[in-house]
Amino acid sequence: RLRLQQSLTNMGIAERKAREKAQKRELILATARQLFLKHGFDAVSLRKIADELEYSPGTIYLYFKNKAELFFAIHQQGFDEFYLRMKSADTIEHPLERMRELGHIYLKFAIDNPEFYDLMFINRMPVSFEEGETGWESGMKTYSCLKETVAACIEAGHFSYQDVEQTAFYIWTHMHGMASLLIRDRLTMHGETNVDHLMEETMRRMLDMLVGEGERS
């Protein structure tokens, strides 16, 4: 009985420590995200992050081996959330309607998460770390959602252009352009209501450029 009680106590302590460790990691990520966004990747050191949290630099190194790994973890967070949102469109059977919904999801994600979006798609990435890692699955599987829907649109005869890779890139660059202008407050001169209309019409016309004859939306 005493051994069982001791075992349960040890399990409780281990669970508490694991929970505290996870919470501290999330706090480090959230603080680093804010500093990267405010000052840029190059201007933020692990020491600066530690000072902001009133930690010793050694505490940060318990969780991340360097600044690039920390930045990569922030990217993963953003893309994991982005992927879940993109996958919600899978319930739409018609591929062209699913493509429209992916466009709406893309813009909504940027609006809801401007800081994440900025760090994921606009802020300069530490390329040296990216080249040394193979763990960008979160970003690639998110982009695959777009490519799979493009392929479905082509197969169904909705898109006249047959190259999946180029078509997906064409759509992404259009959506990224609008999202970037929006979250950087470069569209305020149009007024909020007019901006919504402009983005909706731009997305519709972009798809109109891709659909086959007789399939114009």
Side-chain angles (χ1 to χ4, degrees):
R1 184 188 294 267
L2 287 175
R3 252 189 302 222
L4 176 60
Q5 186 176 18
Q6 184 63 45
S7 177
L8 291 173
T9 300
N10 290 340
M11 286 176 59
I13 292 172
E15 289 176 359
R16 176 174 56 78
K17 287 183 176 179
R19 185 168 59 250
E20 289 173 351
K21 186 175 181 180
Q23 290 171 345
K24 187 171 285 188
R25 185 178 188 274
E26 288 302 308
L27 182 59
I28 292 170
L29 286 170
T31 302
R33 187 166 65 241
Q34 293 294 331
L35 291 174
F36 285 145
L37 183 64
K38 184 177 180 180
H39 303 290
F41 179 80
D42 290 332
V44 176
S45 64
L46 289 184
R47 177 174 290 278
K48 188 167 187 173
I49 296 168
D51 288 345
E52 186 74 15
L53 289 164
E54 298 184 349
Y55 292 165
S56 70
T59 301
I60 307 295
Y61 283 110
L62 292 174
Y63 296 86
F64 303 99
K65 65 183 180 183
N66 53 40
K67 184 173 67 169
E69 184 180 64
L70 199 162
F71 192 82
F72 172 70
I74 293 172
H75 265 248
Q76 281 190 308
Q77 280 188 328
F79 277 110
D80 285 344
E81 169 64 23
F82 197 17
Y83 176 72
L84 290 175
R85 293 202 186 195
M86 296 284 274
K87 289 297 287 181
S88 69
D90 284 356
T91 56
I92 302 174
E93 186 174 350
H94 194 287
L96 194 56
E97 292 304 316
R98 186 161 70 249
M99 181 60 70
R100 289 192 178 93
E101 180 59 18
L102 287 178
H104 292 137
I105 290 171
Y106 191 101
L107 291 174
K108 183 75 162 52
F109 178 83
I111 293 167
D112 291 347
N113 305 276
E115 295 175 358
F116 254 153
Y117 190 90
D118 196 297
L119 290 173
M120 289 161 63
F121 293 109
I122 300 174
N123 219 285
R124 192 182 69 81
M125 185 184 299
V127 177
S128 60
F129 181 77
E130 180 189 15
E131 290 173 348
E133 295 289 333
T134 58
W136 291 97
E137 290 88 353
S138 296
M140 292 308 298
K141 69 182 183 181
T142 303
Y143 193 55
S144 291
C145 290
L146 172 61
K147 289 171 64 176
E148 288 164 7
T149 303
V150 167
C153 286
I154 291 173
E155 185 178 352
H158 298 306
F159 287 173
S160 55
Y161 194 63
Q162 300 295 300
D163 190 301
V164 173
E165 197 70 47
Q166 289 185 17
T167 303
F169 185 74
Y170 172 82
I171 293 170
W172 175 49
T173 53
H174 274 70
M175 301 308 300
H176 171 65
M178 287 195 292
S180 301
L181 289 168
L182 183 64
I183 68 167
R184 290 295 184 90
D185 295 324
R186 297 299 190 269
L187 299 176
T188 53
M189 66 281 201
H190 294 291
E192 185 175 343
T193 303
N194 200 33
V195 164
D196 291 342
H197 175 72
L198 284 171
M199 289 193 298
E200 186 69 31
E201 283 300 298
T202 298
M203 186 166 63
R204 184 183 68 81
R205 289 178 181 276
M206 173 192 68
L207 292 177
D208 279 352
M209 294 288 291
L210 292 168
V211 299
E213 196 64 37
E215 291 287 343
R216 299 288 176 187
S217 59

mmCIF file of all heavy atoms in Angstrom, residues 72-84 86-87 106 109 120-121 125 130 134-148 165 168 172:
data_model
loop_
_atom_site.group_PDB
_atom_site.id
_atom_site.type_symbol
_atom_site.label_atom_id
_atom_site.label_comp_id
_atom_site.label_asym_id
_atom_site.label_seq_id
_atom_site.Cartn_x
_atom_site.Cartn_y
_atom_site.Cartn_z
ATOM 1 N N PHE A 72 11.497 28.623 -35.466
ATOM 2 C CA PHE A 72 10.884 27.508 -36.173
ATOM 3 C C PHE A 72 9.670 26.982 -35.412
ATOM 4 O O PHE A 72 8.635 26.656 -36.000
ATOM 5 C CB PHE A 72 11.930 26.403 -36.355
ATOM 6 C CG PHE A 72 11.381 25.120 -36.893
ATOM 7 C CD1 PHE A 72 10.936 25.022 -38.196
ATOM 8 C CD2 PHE A 72 11.337 23.981 -36.091
ATOM 9 C CE1 PHE A 72 10.439 23.831 -38.690
ATOM 10 C CE2 PHE A 72 10.841 22.795 -36.576
ATOM 11 C CZ PHE A 72 10.395 22.719 -37.883
ATOM 12 N N ALA A 73 9.777 26.911 -34.081
ATOM 13 C CA ALA A 73 8.661 26.441 -33.258
ATOM 14 C C ALA A 73 7.461 27.376 -33.370
ATOM 15 O O ALA A 73 6.308 26.928 -33.377
ATOM 16 C CB ALA A 73 9.102 26.312 -31.804
ATOM 17 N N ILE A 74 7.728 28.679 -33.465
ATOM 18 C CA ILE A 74 6.644 29.648 -33.657
ATOM 19 C C ILE A 74 5.960 29.404 -34.996
ATOM 20 O O ILE A 74 4.731 29.443 -35.101
ATOM 21 C CB ILE A 74 7.186 31.090 -33.562
ATOM 22 C CG1 ILE A 74 7.654 31.382 -32.141
ATOM 23 C CG2 ILE A 74 6.122 32.099 -33.998
ATOM 24 C CD1 ILE A 74 8.387 32.697 -31.989
ATOM 25 N N HIS A 75 6.759 29.165 -36.029
ATOM 26 C CA HIS A 75 6.197 28.840 -37.340
ATOM 27 C C HIS A 75 5.291 27.614 -37.260
ATOM 28 O O HIS A 75 4.202 27.591 -37.833
ATOM 29 C CB HIS A 75 7.332 28.580 -38.342
ATOM 30 C CG HIS A 75 7.692 29.770 -39.147
ATOM 31 N ND1 HIS A 75 7.453 29.863 -40.499
ATOM 32 C CD2 HIS A 75 8.262 30.941 -38.800
ATOM 33 C CE1 HIS A 75 7.872 31.033 -40.940
ATOM 34 N NE2 HIS A 75 8.370 31.703 -39.937
ATOM 35 N N GLN A 76 5.756 26.596 -36.577
ATOM 36 C CA GLN A 76 4.963 25.376 -36.463
ATOM 37 C C GLN A 76 3.629 25.644 -35.794
ATOM 38 O O GLN A 76 2.593 25.122 -36.230
ATOM 39 C CB GLN A 76 5.735 24.327 -35.668
ATOM 40 C CG GLN A 76 6.804 23.594 -36.470
ATOM 41 C CD GLN A 76 7.350 22.415 -35.704
ATOM 42 O OE1 GLN A 76 7.774 22.546 -34.551
ATOM 43 N NE2 GLN A 76 7.364 21.260 -36.330
ATOM 44 N N GLN A 77 3.638 26.431 -34.741
ATOM 45 C CA GLN A 77 2.386 26.787 -34.066
ATOM 46 C C GLN A 77 1.397 27.409 -35.036
ATOM 47 O O GLN A 77 0.217 27.049 -35.076
ATOM 48 C CB GLN A 77 2.662 27.760 -32.928
ATOM 49 C CG GLN A 77 3.173 27.155 -31.649
ATOM 50 C CD GLN A 77 3.235 28.180 -30.537
ATOM 51 O OE1 GLN A 77 3.469 29.370 -30.770
ATOM 52 N NE2 GLN A 77 3.022 27.747 -29.308
ATOM 53 N N GLY A 78 1.897 28.395 -35.785
ATOM 54 C CA GLY A 78 1.021 29.094 -36.718
ATOM 55 C C GLY A 78 0.471 28.183 -37.790
ATOM 56 O O GLY A 78 -0.735 28.194 -38.089
ATOM 57 N N PHE A 79 1.329 27.369 -38.387
ATOM 58 C CA PHE A 79 0.884 26.499 -39.468
ATOM 59 C C PHE A 79 -0.004 25.364 -38.986
ATOM 60 O O PHE A 79 -0.879 24.892 -39.735
ATOM 61 C CB PHE A 79 2.079 25.957 -40.249
ATOM 62 C CG PHE A 79 2.592 26.920 -41.289
ATOM 63 C CD1 PHE A 79 3.813 27.547 -41.126
ATOM 64 C CD2 PHE A 79 1.841 27.224 -42.411
ATOM 65 C CE1 PHE A 79 4.286 28.450 -42.069
ATOM 66 C CE2 PHE A 79 2.295 28.121 -43.359
ATOM 67 C CZ PHE A 79 3.523 28.733 -43.185
ATOM 68 N N ASP A 80 0.200 24.895 -37.766
ATOM 69 C CA ASP A 80 -0.696 23.868 -37.224
ATOM 70 C C ASP A 80 -2.119 24.406 -37.118
ATOM 71 O O ASP A 80 -3.095 23.724 -37.472
ATOM 72 C CB ASP A 80 -0.211 23.403 -35.846
ATOM 73 C CG ASP A 80 1.012 22.495 -35.940
ATOM 74 O OD1 ASP A 80 1.294 21.985 -37.043
ATOM 75 O OD2 ASP A 80 1.692 22.309 -34.902
ATOM 76 N N GLU A 81 -2.247 25.627 -36.611
ATOM 77 C CA GLU A 81 -3.562 26.264 -36.509
ATOM 78 C C GLU A 81 -4.140 26.537 -37.897
ATOM 79 O O GLU A 81 -5.330 26.302 -38.160
ATOM 80 C CB GLU A 81 -3.444 27.566 -35.716
ATOM 81 C CG GLU A 81 -4.683 28.461 -35.749
ATOM 82 C CD GLU A 81 -5.899 27.821 -35.104
ATOM 83 O OE1 GLU A 81 -5.730 26.911 -34.265
ATOM 84 O OE2 GLU A 81 -7.020 28.228 -35.455
ATOM 85 N N PHE A 82 -3.300 27.025 -38.795
ATOM 86 C CA PHE A 82 -3.719 27.326 -40.168
ATOM 87 C C PHE A 82 -4.222 26.062 -40.863
ATOM 88 O O PHE A 82 -5.252 26.064 -41.544
ATOM 89 C CB PHE A 82 -2.538 27.919 -40.922
ATOM 90 C CG PHE A 82 -2.886 28.648 -42.181
ATOM 91 C CD1 PHE A 82 -4.172 29.077 -42.456
ATOM 92 C CD2 PHE A 82 -1.899 28.932 -43.120
ATOM 93 C CE1 PHE A 82 -4.485 29.763 -43.624
ATOM 94 C CE2 PHE A 82 -2.193 29.607 -44.283
ATOM 95 C CZ PHE A 82 -3.486 30.020 -44.537
ATOM 96 N N TYR A 83 -3.503 24.962 -40.688
ATOM 97 C CA TYR A 83 -3.873 23.691 -41.320
ATOM 98 C C TYR A 83 -5.251 23.221 -40.855
ATOM 99 O O TYR A 83 -6.077 22.782 -41.674
ATOM 100 C CB TYR A 83 -2.816 22.643 -41.005
ATOM 101 C CG TYR A 83 -3.147 21.263 -41.524
ATOM 102 C CD1 TYR A 83 -3.087 20.972 -42.885
ATOM 103 C CD2 TYR A 83 -3.501 20.236 -40.649
ATOM 104 C CE1 TYR A 83 -3.386 19.711 -43.364
ATOM 105 C CE2 TYR A 83 -3.798 18.972 -41.116
ATOM 106 C CZ TYR A 83 -3.736 18.711 -42.477
ATOM 107 O OH TYR A 83 -4.038 17.442 -42.949
ATOM 108 N N LEU A 84 -5.507 23.303 -39.559
ATOM 109 C CA LEU A 84 -6.812 22.876 -39.040
ATOM 110 C C LEU A 84 -7.939 23.681 -39.673
ATOM 111 O O LEU A 84 -9.010 23.141 -39.996
ATOM 112 C CB LEU A 84 -6.841 23.028 -37.519
ATOM 113 C CG LEU A 84 -5.970 22.054 -36.724
ATOM 114 C CD1 LEU A 84 -6.015 22.395 -35.236
ATOM 115 C CD2 LEU A 84 -6.422 20.616 -36.956
ATOM 116 N N MET A 86 -7.825 25.211 -42.655
ATOM 117 C CA MET A 86 -7.919 24.855 -44.070
ATOM 118 C C MET A 86 -8.648 23.516 -44.256
ATOM 119 O O MET A 86 -9.454 23.360 -45.170
ATOM 120 C CB MET A 86 -6.523 24.779 -44.688
ATOM 121 C CG MET A 86 -5.759 26.091 -44.710
ATOM 122 S SD MET A 86 -6.323 27.252 -45.984
ATOM 123 C CE MET A 86 -5.369 26.681 -47.378
ATOM 124 N N LYS A 87 -8.375 22.570 -43.371
ATOM 125 C CA LYS A 87 -8.999 21.249 -43.484
ATOM 126 C C LYS A 87 -10.501 21.288 -43.254
ATOM 127 O O LYS A 87 -11.225 20.383 -43.676
ATOM 128 C CB LYS A 87 -8.356 20.281 -42.500
ATOM 129 C CG LYS A 87 -6.945 19.865 -42.852
ATOM 130 C CD LYS A 87 -6.884 19.099 -44.173
ATOM 131 C CE LYS A 87 -7.446 17.700 -44.045
ATOM 132 N NZ LYS A 87 -7.354 16.959 -45.321
ATOM 133 N N TYR A 106 -8.339 31.691 -45.681
ATOM 134 C CA TYR A 106 -7.009 32.311 -45.719
ATOM 135 C C TYR A 106 -7.063 33.741 -45.188
ATOM 136 O O TYR A 106 -6.282 34.128 -44.310
ATOM 137 C CB TYR A 106 -6.488 32.294 -47.155
ATOM 138 C CG TYR A 106 -5.028 32.652 -47.286
ATOM 139 C CD1 TYR A 106 -4.062 31.663 -47.454
ATOM 140 C CD2 TYR A 106 -4.595 33.976 -47.245
ATOM 141 C CE1 TYR A 106 -2.719 31.983 -47.575
ATOM 142 C CE2 TYR A 106 -3.260 34.306 -47.356
ATOM 143 C CZ TYR A 106 -2.320 33.300 -47.524
ATOM 144 O OH TYR A 106 -0.990 33.623 -47.624
ATOM 145 N N PHE A 109 -7.925 33.897 -41.449
ATOM 146 C CA PHE A 109 -6.795 33.560 -40.591
ATOM 147 C C PHE A 109 -5.859 34.759 -40.421
ATOM 148 O O PHE A 109 -5.401 35.052 -39.317
ATOM 149 C CB PHE A 109 -6.014 32.378 -41.174
ATOM 150 C CG PHE A 109 -4.801 32.011 -40.362
ATOM 151 C CD1 PHE A 109 -4.920 31.190 -39.252
ATOM 152 C CD2 PHE A 109 -3.547 32.494 -40.699
ATOM 153 C CE1 PHE A 109 -3.807 30.862 -38.472
ATOM 154 C CE2 PHE A 109 -2.425 32.174 -39.944
ATOM 155 C CZ PHE A 109 -2.551 31.353 -38.819
ATOM 156 N N MET A 120 4.852 34.244 -40.090
ATOM 157 C CA MET A 120 4.824 33.069 -40.960
ATOM 158 C C MET A 120 5.161 33.407 -42.405
ATOM 159 O O MET A 120 5.840 32.636 -43.090
ATOM 160 C CB MET A 120 3.437 32.424 -40.900
ATOM 161 C CG MET A 120 3.116 31.727 -39.596
ATOM 162 S SD MET A 120 1.335 31.478 -39.370
ATOM 163 C CE MET A 120 0.944 30.385 -40.736
ATOM 164 N N PHE A 121 4.693 34.562 -42.884
ATOM 165 C CA PHE A 121 4.767 34.843 -44.317
ATOM 166 C C PHE A 121 5.518 36.114 -44.705
ATOM 167 O O PHE A 121 5.837 36.293 -45.876
ATOM 168 C CB PHE A 121 3.351 34.939 -44.895
ATOM 169 C CG PHE A 121 2.603 33.639 -44.890
ATOM 170 C CD1 PHE A 121 1.542 33.445 -44.024
ATOM 171 C CD2 PHE A 121 2.942 32.608 -45.749
ATOM 172 C CE1 PHE A 121 0.836 32.254 -44.006
ATOM 173 C CE2 PHE A 121 2.244 31.415 -45.750
ATOM 174 C CZ PHE A 121 1.189 31.235 -44.877
ATOM 175 N N MET A 125 12.875 34.833 -42.632
ATOM 176 C CA MET A 125 13.080 33.539 -42.016
ATOM 177 C C MET A 125 14.573 33.227 -41.900
ATOM 178 O O MET A 125 15.331 33.553 -42.811
ATOM 179 C CB MET A 125 12.404 32.463 -42.873
ATOM 180 C CG MET A 125 12.431 31.062 -42.296
ATOM 181 S SD MET A 125 11.691 29.888 -43.458
ATOM 182 C CE MET A 125 10.024 30.550 -43.585
ATOM 183 N N GLU A 130 16.465 26.577 -41.715
ATOM 184 C CA GLU A 130 15.518 25.871 -42.579
ATOM 185 C C GLU A 130 16.238 24.824 -43.431
ATOM 186 O O GLU A 130 15.759 23.708 -43.603
ATOM 187 C CB GLU A 130 14.802 26.868 -43.484
ATOM 188 C CG GLU A 130 13.797 26.214 -44.420
ATOM 189 C CD GLU A 130 13.267 27.189 -45.446
ATOM 190 O OE1 GLU A 130 13.859 28.266 -45.613
ATOM 191 O OE2 GLU A 130 12.262 26.859 -46.085
ATOM 192 N N THR A 134 14.346 19.198 -41.623
ATOM 193 C CA THR A 134 13.380 18.586 -42.538
ATOM 194 C C THR A 134 11.978 18.664 -41.951
ATOM 195 O O THR A 134 11.084 17.958 -42.384
ATOM 196 C CB THR A 134 13.749 17.112 -42.806
ATOM 197 O OG1 THR A 134 13.792 16.411 -41.551
ATOM 198 C CG2 THR A 134 15.090 17.004 -43.500
ATOM 199 N N GLY A 135 11.790 19.508 -40.960
ATOM 200 C CA GLY A 135 10.544 19.505 -40.217
ATOM 201 C C GLY A 135 9.540 20.555 -40.596
ATOM 202 O O GLY A 135 8.827 21.055 -39.739
ATOM 203 N N TRP A 136 9.472 20.937 -41.860
ATOM 204 C CA TRP A 136 8.513 21.962 -42.261
ATOM 205 C C TRP A 136 7.210 21.338 -42.765
ATOM 206 O O TRP A 136 6.529 21.872 -43.633
ATOM 207 C CB TRP A 136 9.117 22.858 -43.342
ATOM 208 C CG TRP A 136 10.229 23.703 -42.807
ATOM 209 C CD1 TRP A 136 11.560 23.448 -42.885
ATOM 210 C CD2 TRP A 136 10.102 24.936 -42.082
ATOM 211 N NE1 TRP A 136 12.282 24.434 -42.254
ATOM 212 C CE2 TRP A 136 11.416 25.355 -41.755
ATOM 213 C CE3 TRP A 136 9.012 25.713 -41.678
ATOM 214 C CZ2 TRP A 136 11.659 26.518 -41.041
ATOM 215 C CZ3 TRP A 136 9.261 26.875 -40.972
ATOM 216 C CH2 TRP A 136 10.576 27.269 -40.653
ATOM 217 N N GLU A 137 6.874 20.150 -42.194
ATOM 218 C CA GLU A 137 5.685 19.447 -42.658
ATOM 219 C C GLU A 137 4.409 20.265 -42.462
ATOM 220 O O GLU A 137 3.485 20.200 -43.275
ATOM 221 C CB GLU A 137 5.533 18.100 -41.935
ATOM 222 C CG GLU A 137 6.566 17.069 -42.311
ATOM 223 C CD GLU A 137 7.823 17.153 -41.453
ATOM 224 O OE1 GLU A 137 7.924 18.121 -40.649
ATOM 225 O OE2 GLU A 137 8.700 16.287 -41.593
ATOM 226 N N SER A 138 4.343 21.028 -41.361
ATOM 227 C CA SER A 138 3.133 21.806 -41.076
ATOM 228 C C SER A 138 2.835 22.786 -42.202
ATOM 229 O O SER A 138 1.691 22.919 -42.644
ATOM 230 C CB SER A 138 3.291 22.556 -39.750
ATOM 231 O OG SER A 138 3.402 21.665 -38.678
ATOM 232 N N GLY A 139 3.875 23.486 -42.668
ATOM 233 C CA GLY A 139 3.669 24.431 -43.760
ATOM 234 C C GLY A 139 3.351 23.738 -45.060
ATOM 235 O O GLY A 139 2.462 24.159 -45.812
ATOM 236 N N MET A 140 4.035 22.636 -45.352
ATOM 237 C CA MET A 140 3.833 21.938 -46.618
ATOM 238 C C MET A 140 2.456 21.288 -46.697
ATOM 239 O O MET A 140 1.815 21.295 -47.746
ATOM 240 C CB MET A 140 4.921 20.891 -46.821
ATOM 241 C CG MET A 140 6.312 21.469 -47.052
ATOM 242 S SD MET A 140 6.350 22.722 -48.375
ATOM 243 C CE MET A 140 5.838 21.725 -49.786
ATOM 244 N N LYS A 141 1.988 20.720 -45.586
ATOM 245 C CA LYS A 141 0.672 20.068 -45.648
ATOM 246 C C LYS A 141 -0.438 21.112 -45.765
ATOM 247 O O LYS A 141 -1.495 20.827 -46.348
ATOM 248 C CB LYS A 141 0.455 19.146 -44.449
ATOM 249 C CG LYS A 141 0.283 19.809 -43.106
ATOM 250 C CD LYS A 141 0.138 18.744 -42.017
ATOM 251 C CE LYS A 141 -0.112 19.367 -40.655
ATOM 252 N NZ LYS A 141 -0.229 18.338 -39.595
ATOM 253 N N THR A 142 -0.189 22.314 -45.232
ATOM 254 C CA THR A 142 -1.167 23.392 -45.416
ATOM 255 C C THR A 142 -1.242 23.791 -46.888
ATOM 256 O O THR A 142 -2.326 23.961 -47.447
ATOM 257 C CB THR A 142 -0.778 24.609 -44.553
ATOM 258 O OG1 THR A 142 -0.683 24.203 -43.195
ATOM 259 C CG2 THR A 142 -1.813 25.713 -44.672
ATOM 260 N N TYR A 143 -0.083 23.936 -47.512
ATOM 261 C CA TYR A 143 -0.048 24.275 -48.940
ATOM 262 C C TYR A 143 -0.645 23.141 -49.773
ATOM 263 O O TYR A 143 -1.268 23.382 -50.815
ATOM 264 C CB TYR A 143 1.394 24.547 -49.363
ATOM 265 C CG TYR A 143 1.541 25.192 -50.722
ATOM 266 C CD1 TYR A 143 0.889 26.381 -51.030
ATOM 267 C CD2 TYR A 143 2.352 24.618 -51.705
ATOM 268 C CE1 TYR A 143 1.032 26.981 -52.271
ATOM 269 C CE2 TYR A 143 2.498 25.217 -52.945
ATOM 270 C CZ TYR A 143 1.843 26.389 -53.221
ATOM 271 O OH TYR A 143 1.982 26.987 -54.451
ATOM 272 N N SER A 144 -0.502 21.908 -49.301
ATOM 273 C CA SER A 144 -1.073 20.760 -50.012
ATOM 274 C C SER A 144 -2.589 20.830 -50.064
ATOM 275 O O SER A 144 -3.206 20.338 -51.015
ATOM 276 C CB SER A 144 -0.633 19.448 -49.358
ATOM 277 O OG SER A 144 0.743 19.215 -49.549
ATOM 278 N N CYS A 145 -3.211 21.434 -49.035
ATOM 279 C CA CYS A 145 -4.672 21.610 -49.064
ATOM 280 C C CYS A 145 -5.079 22.406 -50.298
ATOM 281 O O CYS A 145 -6.066 22.081 -50.963
ATOM 282 C CB CYS A 145 -5.144 22.333 -47.807
ATOM 283 S SG CYS A 145 -5.024 21.390 -46.284
ATOM 284 N N LEU A 146 -4.313 23.461 -50.582
ATOM 285 C CA LEU A 146 -4.583 24.279 -51.761
ATOM 286 C C LEU A 146 -4.341 23.482 -53.033
ATOM 287 O O LEU A 146 -5.180 23.479 -53.943
ATOM 288 C CB LEU A 146 -3.707 25.531 -51.732
ATOM 289 C CG LEU A 146 -3.716 26.407 -52.982
ATOM 290 C CD1 LEU A 146 -5.116 26.940 -53.275
ATOM 291 C CD2 LEU A 146 -2.719 27.554 -52.831
ATOM 292 N N LYS A 147 -3.212 22.797 -53.116
ATOM 293 C CA LYS A 147 -2.866 22.056 -54.330
ATOM 294 C C LYS A 147 -3.867 20.936 -54.621
ATOM 295 O O LYS A 147 -4.217 20.693 -55.778
ATOM 296 C CB LYS A 147 -1.452 21.479 -54.202
ATOM 297 C CG LYS A 147 -0.361 22.535 -54.259
ATOM 298 C CD LYS A 147 0.998 21.969 -53.920
ATOM 299 C CE LYS A 147 1.457 20.936 -54.913
ATOM 300 N NZ LYS A 147 2.838 20.476 -54.615
ATOM 301 N N GLU A 148 -4.322 20.265 -53.577
ATOM 302 C CA GLU A 148 -5.301 19.192 -53.763
ATOM 303 C C GLU A 148 -6.613 19.734 -54.315
ATOM 304 O O GLU A 148 -7.247 19.106 -55.175
ATOM 305 C CB GLU A 148 -5.538 18.470 -52.441
ATOM 306 C CG GLU A 148 -4.367 17.603 -51.999
ATOM 307 C CD GLU A 148 -4.461 17.203 -50.536
ATOM 308 O OE1 GLU A 148 -5.506 17.482 -49.902
ATOM 309 O OE2 GLU A 148 -3.483 16.617 -50.026
ATOM 310 N N GLU A 165 0.870 23.037 -59.934
ATOM 311 C CA GLU A 165 1.852 23.797 -59.168
ATOM 312 C C GLU A 165 1.762 25.293 -59.479
ATOM 313 O O GLU A 165 1.725 26.132 -58.571
ATOM 314 C CB GLU A 165 3.259 23.288 -59.468
ATOM 315 C CG GLU A 165 4.309 23.704 -58.462
ATOM 316 C CD GLU A 165 4.146 23.020 -57.111
ATOM 317 O OE1 GLU A 165 3.955 21.801 -57.072
ATOM 318 O OE2 GLU A 165 4.202 23.749 -56.093
ATOM 319 N N ALA A 168 -1.664 26.788 -58.254
ATOM 320 C CA ALA A 168 -1.680 26.967 -56.800
ATOM 321 C C ALA A 168 -0.842 28.181 -56.403
ATOM 322 O O ALA A 168 -1.245 28.979 -55.549
ATOM 323 C CB ALA A 168 -1.155 25.708 -56.111
ATOM 324 N N TRP A 172 -2.164 31.494 -54.468
ATOM 325 C CA TRP A 172 -1.560 31.860 -53.189
ATOM 326 C C TRP A 172 -0.993 33.281 -53.213
ATOM 327 O O TRP A 172 -1.188 34.054 -52.277
ATOM 328 C CB TRP A 172 -0.458 30.864 -52.819
ATOM 329 C CG TRP A 172 0.287 31.256 -51.583
ATOM 330 C CD1 TRP A 172 -0.259 31.635 -50.378
ATOM 331 C CD2 TRP A 172 1.701 31.364 -51.420
ATOM 332 N NE1 TRP A 172 0.741 31.952 -49.473
ATOM 333 C CE2 TRP A 172 1.950 31.797 -50.092
ATOM 334 C CE3 TRP A 172 2.779 31.113 -52.267
ATOM 335 C CZ2 TRP A 172 3.242 31.996 -49.602
ATOM 336 C CZ3 TRP A 172 4.064 31.311 -51.775
ATOM 337 C CH2 TRP A 172 4.279 31.738 -50.457
#
